[in-house]
Amino acid sequence: MASKTNFRGSFTALVTPFKNGSLDEAAFRALVSWQIAEGTHGLVPVGTTGESPTLSHDEHNRVVEWCIDEAKGRVPVIAGAGSNSTKEAIELAQHAEKAGADAALVVTPYYNKPTQEGLYQHFKAINDAIGIPVIIYNIPPRSVIDMSVDTMKRLFELKNIAGVKDATASMVRVSQQRAAMGEDFNQLSGEDATVLGYMAHGGHGCISVTSNVAPRLCSEFHLAWQKGDHATALKLHDKLMPLHTNLFIESNPAPVKYALSLLGKMDEKLRLPMVPVSEPTRVAVRSAMVHAGLIN
């Protein structure tokens, strides 16, 4: 019997707070609790936004454990578990399962540039090594490669492949994937700015960067959509749109960490090669937060 997921709504791609060069556990746990209190429907630790490339494996595993422990089953946790090394991805996914994650988010292998057959074999090896659902993370702008719909269809025949975090920003792809895999294939947007169109084409939710900063508004957007209140969803989307765009003026997660520092949630610390945002970006992020009613 294939693993199926029914993830719906706003899932936050959590940032990883740092202090004095180390993980800031207190700030991370406080962020998780605040997210849940504000109505976030699910949490995604140690993805791209969580600066996973610069965390050690031990740090990566600890962040996953803290997230699951702090969530206490109140919302599902999709643990980041990707790598461009299949062996490493399997180890991270096995840890996520052992820690109690509801699913593993596995990115298409970056830098190596595998073929479609290589992608299939990579995800099949992870599928075969664990017993929890796998969400494919397809993000061509960062990984260079784009998993085809045909490859996704092949993978969806496996026991644990359950859906996709789609960061292609293509509305066409949502419909193509629905046609190929059907409604049971769990489609989550990985692109905040196009989420309204993504949902209109049949998407189920969003793994969001913006919801780090505006969890309640992002949650309300999805709840309005689910109720068929498209007018309210559009108003909320318009309110959030400057954030959806301005949080990506410079490379994520530098702008969102600055935004969170303005809310007093954590220090604006990143790990090299990520650096704090420039003054023009600060002005743009502050303006977007004012537009959304998050700060005065």
Side-chain angles (χ1 to χ4, degrees):
M1 180 67 184
S3 288
K4 292 288 187 286
T5 52
N6 191 36
F7 299 135
R8 298 291 187 271
S10 180
F11 280 62
T12 301
L14 295 164
V15 302
T16 302
F18 300 121
K19 201 163 200 172
N20 303 319
S22 299
L23 302 177
D24 188 343
E25 180 178 357
F28 180 79
R29 285 181 177 273
L31 178 66
V32 168
S33 290
W34 178 62
Q35 287 285 323
I36 295 171
E38 290 288 292
T40 290
H41 303 119
L43 300 167
V44 185
V46 285
T48 304
T49 308
E51 292 177 77
S52 54
T54 52
L55 299 188
S56 69
H57 284 184
D58 177 62
E59 288 174 326
H60 183 118
N61 290 342
R62 274 188 284 155
V63 172
V64 170
E65 290 164 10
W66 294 341
C67 186
I68 292 165
D69 181 63
E70 198 65 32
K72 294 180 173 62
R74 290 175 289 172
V75 298
V77 174
I78 307 174
S83 172
N84 65 337
S85 159
T86 305
K87 181 174 179 291
E88 283 185 10
I90 287 171
E91 290 168 357
L92 293 171
Q94 287 175 330
H95 174 268
E97 179 177 20
K98 185 179 176 184
D102 296 278
L105 179 69
V106 179
V107 71
T108 48
Y110 40 88
Y111 191 74
N112 310 38
K113 294 178 72 175
T115 61
Q116 293 298 311
E117 181 61 26
L119 286 175
Y120 176 82
Q121 294 298 338
H122 174 82
F123 279 89
K124 184 179 185 302
I126 298 163
N127 168 86
D128 293 349
I130 61 173
I132 58 173
V134 173
I135 303 296
I136 299 161
Y137 183 10
N138 193 32
I139 180 165
R142 281 188 184 261
S143 66
V144 183
I145 51 168
D146 182 2
M147 183 184 286
S148 70
V149 177
D150 287 343
T151 301
M152 270 185 213
K153 186 176 181 180
R154 284 182 71 198
L155 285 168
F156 191 47
E157 293 168 3
L158 302 177
K159 180 170 68 79
N160 294 315
I161 307 298
V164 65
K165 175 185 177 182
D166 184 340
T168 62
S170 167
M171 298 305 94
V172 174
R173 190 64 66 88
V174 195
S175 297
Q176 290 172 333
Q177 287 159 185
R178 274 171 59 82
M181 277 82 76
E183 181 64 24
D184 286 342
F185 189 65
N186 202 169
Q187 297 205 62
L188 303 169
S189 171
E191 238 281 331
D192 280 299
T194 58
V195 67
L196 183 66
Y198 194 90
M199 299 303 289
H201 277 257
H204 300 122
C206 181
I207 296 179
S208 169
V209 174
T210 301
S211 60
N212 276 283
V213 184
R216 186 169 295 281
L217 290 173
C218 289
S219 171
E220 288 173 352
F221 165 83
H222 284 278
L223 290 175
W225 185 270
Q226 289 166 13
K227 288 189 295 188
D229 186 355
H230 298 157
T232 297
L234 180 58
K235 283 181 184 176
L236 287 163
H237 186 69
D238 288 343
K239 195 170 186 179
L240 286 163
M241 193 62 188
L243 270 175
H244 290 337
T245 53
N246 293 0
L247 289 177
F248 294 92
I249 292 172
E250 294 183 36
S251 295
N252 176 49
V256 75
K257 276 198 162 178
Y258 170 64
L260 284 163
S261 75
L262 290 180
L263 295 177
K265 299 298 179 186
M266 64 189 63
D267 290 345
E268 185 200 354
K269 300 290 185 186
L270 300 115
R271 279 190 177 166
L272 287 170
M274 303 302 296
V275 294
V277 293
S278 63
E279 187 55 37
T281 298
R282 289 171 191 270
V283 171
V285 169
R286 284 196 298 267
S287 172
M289 292 175 75
V290 170
H291 182 84
L294 303 176
I295 58 175
N296 295 322

